[in-house]
Amino acid sequence: MARLLEALLEDHRNAERLLNALEHQIRVFAEGEAPDYDIVVGAAEYFIGYPSLCHHPMEDAIARRLLAAHPAEAAAIADLAGEHELVHKRARHLRRTMRELLGDTDIARETVVEAARRFVTYERRHMQAEEQVFFPLADQLLTPADWAAIEAELTEQSDPISSAQCAASFQKQCEQLLVWEGEVEPAQGGVS
């Protein structure tokens, strides 16, 4: 499997762990208790920032290459960029809802719970579709030359030092959120 696909799968594993943490906090909130708002808001911030700045650009570059080289086979992933925009929009909606809850706005508990649950469900569905269709297709059809071209494109699009610092910053945020969640409830499968 190509190095970029391995990195994307690792991102998905981290995202799933964050979704589990968010889901746990929303369950607490739905039951009338006070969740750890730092985890909920932090997860929303993470899903707004990291995918748009670090994860989705890699996927979009792979999709462009796949669509250019194999348009018929890749037709199923033709609107991946549109999917990414929907993911970002839902994350912004979750953050806005949480800000309303934490601000002076009167917002129903069920509105908050529904926004979070919809976000979690949609995010999982999106990652699952990528892992079942997009990633295997890219792994099967793209050549080593294609992967080299994609990596060159990504390097040209961004400053590698800034990209590495960005990814490291988000990784620290992700780890901190999971540590906080672990203090509330033991993590399933552990944190690596």
Side-chain angles (χ1 to χ4, degrees), residues 142-154:
L142 294 178
T143 66
D146 290 322
W147 290 110
I150 292 165
E151 289 195 26
E153 176 187 339
L154 290 170

Side-chain angles (χ1 to χ4, degrees), residues 19-156:
L19 291 171
N20 289 340
L22 175 60
E23 198 170 44
H24 169 73
Q25 294 301 323
I26 293 306
R27 255 192 323 272
V28 167
F29 184 72
E31 293 168 0
E33 301 295 321
D36 186 327
Y37 291 108
D38 288 336
I39 292 172
V40 177
V41 172
E45 292 291 339
Y46 179 89
F47 280 106
I48 287 170
Y50 183 77
S52 295
L53 296 173
C54 301
H55 183 84
H56 291 161
M58 284 192 292
E59 290 180 339
D60 292 343
I62 294 167
R64 281 191 301 275
R65 187 71 173 196
L66 191 56
L67 284 162
H70 305 279
E73 296 93 331
I77 58 117
D79 193 31
L80 187 64
E83 280 283 315
H84 289 161
E85 181 53 39
L86 283 173
V87 167
H88 189 72
K89 182 179 177 181
R90 288 185 189 270
R92 286 191 322 258
H93 176 70
L94 176 61
R95 179 180 64 185
R96 189 172 45 254
T97 302
M98 292 312 302
R99 285 182 176 169
E100 289 174 13
L101 175 67
L102 297 172
D104 292 332
T105 306
D106 188 27
I107 186 168
R109 184 176 296 269
E110 61 196 41
T111 301
V112 175
V113 170
E114 182 62 23
R117 286 183 175 158
R118 288 175 111 183
F119 172 76
V120 169
T121 298
Y122 189 82
E123 185 65 28
R124 282 188 174 134
R125 190 177 307 137
H126 172 73
M127 290 189 308
Q128 183 180 34
E130 288 180 340
E131 291 175 16
Q132 290 178 348
V133 177
F134 174 44
F135 293 173
L137 199 60
D139 191 41
Q140 176 188 8
L141 297 176
L142 294 178
T143 66
D146 290 322
W147 290 110
I150 292 165
E151 289 195 26
E153 176 187 339
L154 290 170
T155 301
E156 288 174 15

